[in-house]
Amino acid sequence: MSDKTRATLTIHSQTDELERVRQFVRDAALRFGFSRNDAEKIVTATDEACANVILHGYNSDPSRHINIGIETNGKSFAVTIDDDGKSYDLRKHVAPDMKVYLAERRRGGLGIKLIHMLVDDIEYVVHGSHNRLTLTKRLPDSSQ
């Protein structure tokens, strides 16, 4: 099947740009057939990943850019997040022990755990100073 679709969005590294990202991903996910609930899972995972790039990868430097791409091959929906900030392979992130986390009444630090829970697959590639994170969710009718 060759019904590949691609859309892209470039934003400045600013948290007030995240609403544009959420709307871009939400619209595409709904158009591709996800339920509103599943679309919001993809939106939340993408929002968390982009917020991490802005805050940690770029140290909130608004002069930097993030490119968000959406691609489907008819079976899956992939969101790519490209940046040139400090790299961090979230696939290797060790989630906090939730008993300790709750006992100590910690705040924050659960975004990566959340991303893992919301999408089906996570890929991370570094080429020199370029980072690409790909979050993939299977389309509703392609579970087999």
Side-chain angles (χ1 to χ4, degrees):
M1 196 177 284
S2 64
D3 56 332
K4 200 171 198 174
T5 302
R6 178 141 175 88
T8 60
L9 173 70
T10 300
I11 64 165
H12 289 278
S13 176
Q14 298 173 287
T15 54
D16 60 357
E17 290 269 54
L18 291 174
E19 178 53 37
R20 287 180 57 209
V21 173
R22 290 189 291 268
Q23 193 61 51
F24 174 69
V25 173
R26 182 179 298 114
D27 289 348
L30 291 172
R31 239 187 349 266
F32 286 121
F34 284 106
S35 67
R36 186 158 293 281
N37 187 46
D38 282 343
E40 289 305 318
K41 290 178 182 176
I42 301 166
V43 168
T44 300
T46 305
D47 180 88
E48 281 293 330
C50 288
N52 284 340
V53 172
I54 292 168
L55 299 175
H56 305 294
Y58 286 148
N59 292 319
S60 300
D61 179 353
S63 69
R64 309 295 293 275
H65 292 92
I66 302 170
N67 297 310
I68 297 98
I70 295 174
E71 189 169 308
T72 181
N73 62 7
K75 296 180 181 175
S76 64
F77 183 92
V79 178
T80 57
I81 300 164
D82 292 286
D83 69 271
D84 296 315
K86 186 170 49 177
S87 62
Y88 183 78
D89 188 347
L90 60 89
R91 295 172 308 165
K92 296 178 180 174
H93 178 78
V94 178
D97 180 322
M98 291 309 295
K99 286 183 181 178
V100 174
Y101 183 91
L102 294 171
E104 294 178 354
R105 298 180 182 214
R106 292 185 195 167
R107 297 181 69 184
L110 296 176
I112 295 174
K113 180 178 178 69
L114 186 63
I115 291 169
H116 281 279
M117 293 170 59
L118 297 174
V119 296
D120 296 319
D121 190 40
I122 298 171
E123 293 179 29
Y124 183 74
V125 177
V126 177
H127 290 287
S129 64
H130 181 85
N131 308 302
R132 172 171 278 184
L133 175 67
T134 304
L135 307 173
T136 302
K137 187 124 178 116
R138 286 182 291 280
L139 289 171
D141 295 328
S142 64
S143 59
Q144 275 75 19

Short mmCIF file of all heavy atoms in Angstrom, two decimals, residues 19 22-23 25-26 31 39 73 77-78 90-91 106 109 144:
data_model
loop_
_atom_site.label_atom_id
_atom_site.label_comp_id
_atom_site.label_asym_id
_atom_site.label_seq_id
_atom_site.Cartn_x
_atom_site.Cartn_y
_atom_site.Cartn_z
N GLU A 19 0.46 24.98 21.77
CA GLU A 19 -0.95 24.88 21.36
C GLU A 19 -1.04 24.62 19.86
O GLU A 19 -1.88 23.84 19.40
CB GLU A 19 -1.73 26.14 21.73
CG GLU A 19 -3.19 26.12 21.29
CD GLU A 19 -3.97 24.88 21.74
OE1 GLU A 19 -3.74 24.39 22.86
OE2 GLU A 19 -4.81 24.38 20.94
N ARG A 22 -0.28 20.97 19.39
CA ARG A 22 -1.42 20.13 19.80
C ARG A 22 -2.52 20.13 18.73
O ARG A 22 -3.06 19.08 18.38
CB ARG A 22 -1.97 20.60 21.15
CG ARG A 22 -1.03 20.33 22.31
CD ARG A 22 -1.69 20.61 23.66
NE ARG A 22 -1.94 22.01 23.89
CZ ARG A 22 -1.11 22.85 24.52
NH1 ARG A 22 0.04 22.41 24.99
NH2 ARG A 22 -1.43 24.12 24.68
N GLN A 23 -2.84 21.31 18.21
CA GLN A 23 -3.90 21.40 17.20
C GLN A 23 -3.50 20.69 15.91
O GLN A 23 -4.31 19.99 15.29
CB GLN A 23 -4.23 22.87 16.92
CG GLN A 23 -5.51 23.06 16.14
CD GLN A 23 -6.73 22.50 16.90
OE1 GLN A 23 -6.94 22.81 18.07
NE2 GLN A 23 -7.50 21.67 16.23
N VAL A 25 -1.38 18.15 15.51
CA VAL A 25 -1.40 16.69 15.68
C VAL A 25 -2.83 16.19 15.86
O VAL A 25 -3.21 15.17 15.27
CB VAL A 25 -0.50 16.29 16.88
CG1 VAL A 25 -0.64 14.81 17.20
CG2 VAL A 25 0.96 16.65 16.59
N ARG A 26 -3.63 16.90 16.64
CA ARG A 26 -5.03 16.50 16.87
C ARG A 26 -5.79 16.42 15.55
O ARG A 26 -6.47 15.43 15.26
CB ARG A 26 -5.70 17.48 17.81
CG ARG A 26 -7.15 17.13 18.15
CD ARG A 26 -7.77 18.14 19.11
NE ARG A 26 -7.06 18.17 20.38
CZ ARG A 26 -6.34 19.21 20.83
NH1 ARG A 26 -6.25 20.33 20.12
NH2 ARG A 26 -5.71 19.15 21.98
N ARG A 31 -8.31 13.10 11.44
CA ARG A 31 -8.50 12.89 9.99
C ARG A 31 -8.10 11.47 9.59
O ARG A 31 -8.70 10.89 8.70
CB ARG A 31 -7.63 13.89 9.22
CG ARG A 31 -8.40 14.80 8.31
CD ARG A 31 -7.59 15.71 7.40
NE ARG A 31 -6.18 15.84 7.62
CZ ARG A 31 -5.60 16.79 8.36
NH1 ARG A 31 -6.33 17.70 8.95
NH2 ARG A 31 -4.29 16.84 8.49
N ALA A 39 -6.69 10.12 19.76
CA ALA A 39 -6.03 11.32 19.23
C ALA A 39 -5.41 12.13 20.36
O ALA A 39 -4.28 12.61 20.25
CB ALA A 39 -7.04 12.16 18.45
N ASN A 73 1.52 5.42 6.85
CA ASN A 73 1.73 4.51 5.72
C ASN A 73 0.49 3.65 5.49
O ASN A 73 0.57 2.63 4.85
CB ASN A 73 2.95 3.63 5.96
CG ASN A 73 2.80 2.75 7.17
OD1 ASN A 73 1.73 2.69 7.78
ND2 ASN A 73 3.86 2.05 7.53
N PHE A 77 0.58 5.71 12.32
CA PHE A 77 0.61 7.17 12.36
C PHE A 77 1.85 7.54 13.15
O PHE A 77 1.99 7.16 14.31
CB PHE A 77 -0.66 7.63 13.08
CG PHE A 77 -0.85 9.10 13.17
CD1 PHE A 77 -1.57 9.79 12.21
CD2 PHE A 77 -0.36 9.81 14.26
CE1 PHE A 77 -1.79 11.14 12.31
CE2 PHE A 77 -0.57 11.17 14.38
CZ PHE A 77 -1.29 11.84 13.40
N ALA A 78 2.78 8.22 12.51
CA ALA A 78 4.03 8.55 13.18
C ALA A 78 4.22 10.06 13.27
O ALA A 78 4.00 10.78 12.30
CB ALA A 78 5.20 7.94 12.44
N LEU A 90 15.19 9.17 25.36
CA LEU A 90 14.17 8.85 26.37
C LEU A 90 13.82 7.38 26.44
O LEU A 90 13.22 6.93 27.39
CB LEU A 90 12.93 9.72 26.20
CG LEU A 90 12.14 9.65 24.91
CD1 LEU A 90 11.10 8.57 24.98
CD2 LEU A 90 11.50 10.99 24.68
N ARG A 91 14.28 6.59 25.45
CA ARG A 91 14.05 5.14 25.53
C ARG A 91 14.86 4.53 26.66
O ARG A 91 14.53 3.48 27.16
CB ARG A 91 14.43 4.46 24.21
CG ARG A 91 13.55 4.89 23.04
CD ARG A 91 14.08 4.37 21.76
NE ARG A 91 15.49 4.75 21.67
CZ ARG A 91 16.35 4.23 20.81
NH1 ARG A 91 15.98 3.32 19.97
NH2 ARG A 91 17.60 4.62 20.77
N ARG A 106 6.80 14.16 45.28
CA ARG A 106 7.54 14.84 44.22
C ARG A 106 6.57 15.46 43.22
O ARG A 106 5.41 15.04 43.12
CB ARG A 106 8.44 13.84 43.49
CG ARG A 106 9.56 13.32 44.32
CD ARG A 106 10.43 12.45 43.46
NE ARG A 106 11.33 11.65 44.28
CZ ARG A 106 12.02 10.63 43.82
NH1 ARG A 106 11.93 10.26 42.57
NH2 ARG A 106 12.81 9.96 44.63
N GLY A 109 8.51 15.36 36.35
CA GLY A 109 9.38 14.23 36.08
C GLY A 109 8.69 12.97 35.60
O GLY A 109 9.32 11.92 35.54
N GLN A 144 -3.94 -6.01 13.43
CA GLN A 144 -3.47 -7.36 13.12
C GLN A 144 -2.21 -7.34 12.32
O GLN A 144 -1.85 -6.55 11.61
CB GLN A 144 -4.53 -8.14 12.34
CG GLN A 144 -5.53 -8.80 13.21
CD GLN A 144 -6.55 -7.83 13.80
OE1 GLN A 144 -6.73 -6.75 13.31
NE2 GLN A 144 -7.19 -8.21 14.86
#
